[in-house]
């Protein structure tokens, strides 16, 4: 009786399997694995899609029952047929997975651009989840993961490439590109990296966990497979940009931008990919390297200022020196990066103290120290350059023009003004006034010590000598004319009162001659106003700075 019962049971399971095979085969005849023109889920009915999934899973279950049966005489034949039908069903589901994934046009990058939240599309994501569950339940989890992974990797790569405007892998060729080309690519990288790490990766992770909700560990593994290479490619662009920048002063701002973006995305990388992940370690290293590069560039700039030789010093008419203009315009831009500089110098201090285990703190003066140091280096260089000017009046005018330009650029930038402080500005303006006074006493010395008709000749000579000299701007011209009139006119008036019969110029004539110096009356006639100091440049807008050596080449 037991043998009869077992035989009956085997026939029953085999019959059930044959029925399952027939049912699935009928569905496959309608939804063939090689027909990608229509989708069971998107073009068929929800009920029929559910029947297909259930039938495939039930077929796999029936196969397991037959395979566990001790009577394999008829079961083996049934299993062979069932295996063929199941494989066909899984190929159809694999095709369905591809069709469904193709409707998920991209990862969150494109979703954010278009304003459409792909992850929030419950219908499509729900269908994908159902297919994944069925394939996993039927023993085809590897095929499911492989299809999902390859499709999402390709979509993610395409979306990032569209956002960047170039393939991230092109970073390997940065050394062959002109700096202008690199500059353009790095600028698009800032947007792409911020978008990817702060938004796209997190949305992709949500998608993975929704599709593979039954196995969180698997979902994390699938996400890592999609994200790891793309994260590495994006970080490689930053690494290549910093390496390409070398120590050219005009490229510091790109390095600072890279540092700022890396500092912004590092918390997101640690949160989404894990603080122990390769991406987090790589981003941390890139951040450190960008900081080191920035400090190196600032050191190079300081050395370049110091190495400007006296032969490059003289400029016609004691005008503002190109070095002064270059450095101060540079510092106005640099002041916009005060917070980034503070982080970079904190990073340097942390590196120095990490070996001893002492905790580092943010030094609020670190950015001020670096900028203030460059200003001091410039001032010392200007003093050294001034020695080459003859006569002494021209030397004083050179210093007055350049110190005035320095303080004016500082006053024109609220950030730079905040960094150096009001006391420094007051001292700098007082220094400019001292140079103006020294200029007046030197340039008009012969008038001040002359007597009789000699005063007229001294005035004419002083005016003729100063005709080719220049002032920094109308503000400086007003200051110089006012200082000269305040000293020279009273002195000449005293001489005129004593020797008026011999002198043919009146004090009014002398005052008028002083008023015409440095374009005074011409500017008045034209209705000119003092040149404004300008305003601070925004973080992303930068001056086109040529190389430091090229900037000074014309004064060699």
């Amino acid at each position: 009786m037991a043998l009869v019962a077992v035989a009956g049971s085997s026939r029953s399971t085999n019959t059930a399997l044959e029925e399952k095979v027939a049912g699935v085969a009928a569905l496959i005849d309608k939804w063939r694995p090689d027909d990608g023109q229509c989708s069971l889920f998107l073009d068929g009915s929800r009920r029929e899609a559910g029947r297909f999934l259930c039938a495939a899973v039930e077929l796999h279950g029936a196969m397991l029952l037959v395979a566990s049966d001790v009577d394999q005489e008829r079961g083996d034949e049934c299993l062979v047929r069932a295996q063929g039908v199941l494989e066909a069903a899984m190929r159809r589901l694999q095709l369905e997975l591809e069709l469904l994934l193709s409707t998920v046009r991209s990862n969150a990058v494109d979703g954010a651009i278009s304003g459409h939240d792909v992850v929030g599309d419950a219908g499509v994501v729900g269908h994908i989840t159902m297919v994944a569950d069925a394939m996993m339940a039927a023993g085809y989890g590897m095929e499911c993961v492989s299809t999902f992974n390859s499709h999402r990797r390709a979509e993610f790569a395409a979306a990032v490439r569209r956002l960047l405007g170039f393939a991230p892998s092109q970073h390997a060729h940065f050394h062959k590109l002109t700096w202008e080309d690199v500059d353009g690519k790095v600028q698009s990288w800032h947007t792409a990296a911020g978008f990817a790490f702060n938004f796209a990766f997190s949305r992709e992770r949500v998608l993975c966990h929704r599709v593979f909700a039954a196995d969180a560990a698997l979902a994390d593994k699938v996400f890592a497979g999609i994200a790891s290479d793309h994260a590495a490619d994006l970080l490689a662009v930053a690494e290549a940009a910093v390496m390409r920048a070398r120590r050219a002063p005009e490229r510091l701002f790109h390095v600072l931008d890279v540092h700022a973006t890396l500092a912004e995305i590092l918390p997101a990388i640690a949160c989404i990919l894990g603080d122990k992940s390769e991406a987090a370690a790589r981003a941390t290293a890139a951040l450190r390297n960008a900081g080191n590069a920035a400090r190196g560039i600032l050191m190079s700039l300081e050395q370049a200022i110091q190495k400007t030789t006296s032969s490059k010093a003289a400029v016609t008419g004691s005008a503002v020196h190109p070095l002064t203009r270059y450095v101060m315009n540079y510092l106005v831009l640099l002041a916009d990066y005060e917070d980034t500089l503070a982080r970079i110098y904190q990073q340097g201090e942390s590196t120095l103290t990490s070996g001893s285990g002492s905790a580092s703190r943010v030094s609020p003066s670190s950015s001020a120290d670096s900028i203030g140091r460059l200003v001091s280096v410039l001032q010392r260089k200007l003093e050294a350059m001034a020695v080459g000017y003859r006569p002494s009046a021209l030397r004083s005018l050179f210093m007055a023009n350049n110190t005035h330009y320095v303080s004016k650029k500082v006053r024109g930038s609220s950030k730079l003004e905040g960094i150096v402080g009001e006391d420094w500005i007051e001292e700098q303006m007082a220094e400019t006034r001292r140079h103006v006074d020294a200029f007046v006493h030197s340039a008009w010395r012969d008038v001040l010590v002359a007597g009789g008709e000699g005063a007229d000749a001294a005035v004419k000579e002083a005016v003729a000598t100063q005709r080719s000299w220049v002032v920094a701007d109308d503000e400086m011209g007003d200051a110089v004319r006012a200082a000269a009139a305040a000293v020279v006119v009273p002195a000449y008036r005293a001489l005129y009162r004593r020797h008026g019969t011999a002198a043919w110029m009146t004090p009014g004539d002398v005052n008028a001659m002083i008023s015409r110096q440095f374009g005074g009356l011409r500017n008045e006639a034209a209705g000119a106003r003092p040149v404004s100091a300008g305003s601070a440049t925004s973080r992303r807008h930068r001056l086109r700075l040529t190389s430091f050596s090229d900037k000074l080449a014309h004064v060699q």
Side-chain angles (χ1 to χ4, degrees), residues 133-470:
D133 287 344
M135 293 184 71
M136 302 285 284
Y140 283 75
M142 183 179 298
E143 290 79 0
C144 174
V145 169
S146 176
T147 300
F148 183 90
N149 201 321
S150 62
H151 197 285
R152 295 305 298 161
R153 281 172 60 87
E155 285 293 330
F156 204 103
V160 171
R161 186 166 57 249
R162 286 190 291 272
L163 195 57
L164 279 174
F166 65 95
S169 58
Q170 288 183 4
H171 73 270
H173 305 291
F174 272 21
H175 66 283
K176 299 179 181 178
L177 301 178
T178 64
W179 179 251
E180 288 72 20
D181 290 336
V182 173
D183 180 20
K185 293 182 183 300
V186 172
Q187 291 308 306
S188 64
W189 172 83
H190 293 297
T191 301
F195 221 12
F197 288 112
N198 288 322
F199 186 77
F201 280 112
S202 63
R203 302 302 268 175
E204 191 70 25
R205 187 174 186 273
V206 170
L207 177 61
C208 291
H209 274 266
R210 287 194 181 178
V211 172
F212 301 100
D215 190 339
L218 175 62
D220 284 336
K221 184 177 180 180
V222 172
F223 170 68
I226 295 171
S228 57
D229 288 347
H230 297 307
D233 282 344
L234 283 168
L235 292 172
V237 174
E239 294 166 343
V242 171
M243 185 178 298
R244 182 73 167 78
R246 297 190 299 276
R247 288 201 171 190
E250 65 275 10
R251 298 176 186 175
L252 172 63
F253 305 106
H254 303 286
V255 174
L256 293 176
D257 279 341
V258 169
H259 188 282
T261 299
L262 287 170
E264 175 189 332
I265 65 178
L266 185 54
I269 293 174
C271 178
I272 300 300
L273 298 173
D275 56 1
K276 302 298 183 182
S277 65
E278 181 181 349
R282 192 165 177 176
T284 301
L287 184 71
R288 180 174 60 253
N289 291 338
N292 292 338
R295 288 193 295 272
I297 292 173
L298 286 172
M299 186 178 299
S300 294
L301 175 59
E302 181 178 331
Q303 293 171 348
I305 296 172
Q306 293 171 335
K307 290 179 180 178
T308 304
T309 61
S310 299
S311 62
K312 298 179 181 179
V315 289
T316 304
S318 69
V320 177
H321 198 278
L323 175 66
T324 308
R325 295 184 185 278
Y326 180 92
V327 173
M328 293 311 301
N329 285 326
Y330 193 97
L331 295 183
V332 167
L333 295 175
L334 191 59
D336 286 334
Y337 293 86
E338 180 182 6
D339 293 340
T340 299
L341 286 173
R343 283 194 298 267
I344 286 173
Y345 281 93
Q346 177 195 19
Q347 171 187 310
E349 293 168 4
S350 177
T351 300
L352 291 174
T353 59
S354 59
S356 61
S358 59
S360 64
R361 294 179 298 174
V362 175
S363 173
S365 63
S366 33
S367 57
D369 288 346
S370 60
I371 291 177
R373 181 176 179 81
L374 287 171
V375 173
S376 298
V377 171
L378 172 63
Q379 289 175 313
R380 289 196 297 271
K381 177 52 63 175
L382 290 173
E383 291 169 358
M385 287 177 172
V387 175
Y389 284 84
R390 297 289 186 274
S392 60
L394 193 61
R395 184 184 313 138
S396 296
L397 184 58
F398 171 80
M399 288 301 299
N401 280 330
N402 283 270
T403 55
H404 168 71
Y405 185 85
V406 169
S407 63
K408 183 175 181 178
K409 295 299 289 188
V410 171
R411 285 181 282 128
S413 167
S414 59
K415 289 191 176 181
L416 191 55
E417 185 176 10
I419 289 173
V420 300
E422 293 183 2
D423 290 343
W424 181 93
I425 295 174
E426 289 296 328
E427 292 174 2
Q428 187 73 6
M429 294 174 68
E431 184 70 13
T432 300
R433 289 192 292 270
R434 285 193 289 272
H435 288 304
V436 169
D437 291 341
F439 162 75
V440 169
H441 284 85
S442 180
W444 296 91
R445 180 178 180 278
D446 290 344
V447 177
L448 299 178
V449 300
E453 294 182 358
D456 285 338
V459 169
K460 293 177 183 179
E461 182 178 354
V463 170
T465 299
Q466 296 174 47
R467 188 167 291 123
S468 62
W469 297 356
V470 296

